[in-house]
Amino acid sequence: MPQSSIFWRLKWLTALLLLTVLDISPVPVSSLLLLYVFLLRPFWFKKLIERLYTGR
């Protein structure tokens, strides 16, 4: 795997861990974010998934 791919995956792993910590609070942050992605299907999410799985 190229160096940038490893950095990209570590960056998103860190973001997911942060969401997990925030989800412990009374407001379910990750559930709201997931609902937003499912309902509105934002373009940035599609690009994120493409970049994550292609390794670019």
Side-chain angles (χ1 to χ4, degrees):
M1 250 188 306
Q3 183 67 20
S4 62
S5 177
I6 293 171
F7 174 72
W8 181 254
R9 289 172 190 237
L10 285 175
K11 182 173 112 174
W12 283 103
L13 178 65
T14 305
L16 288 174
L17 288 174
L18 180 66
L19 278 175
T20 303
V21 169
L22 288 175
D23 207 31
I24 295 172
S25 69
V27 179
V29 177
S30 61
S31 300
L32 293 175
L33 182 63
L34 185 63
L35 185 63
Y36 167 73
V37 168
F38 278 155
L39 291 177
L40 298 180
R41 296 184 186 137
F43 185 69
W44 60 264
F45 187 74
K46 182 181 183 306
K47 297 289 281 181
L48 166 82
I49 297 301
E50 286 176 356
R51 187 170 181 184
L52 185 65
Y53 283 105
T54 59
R56 288 186 283 146

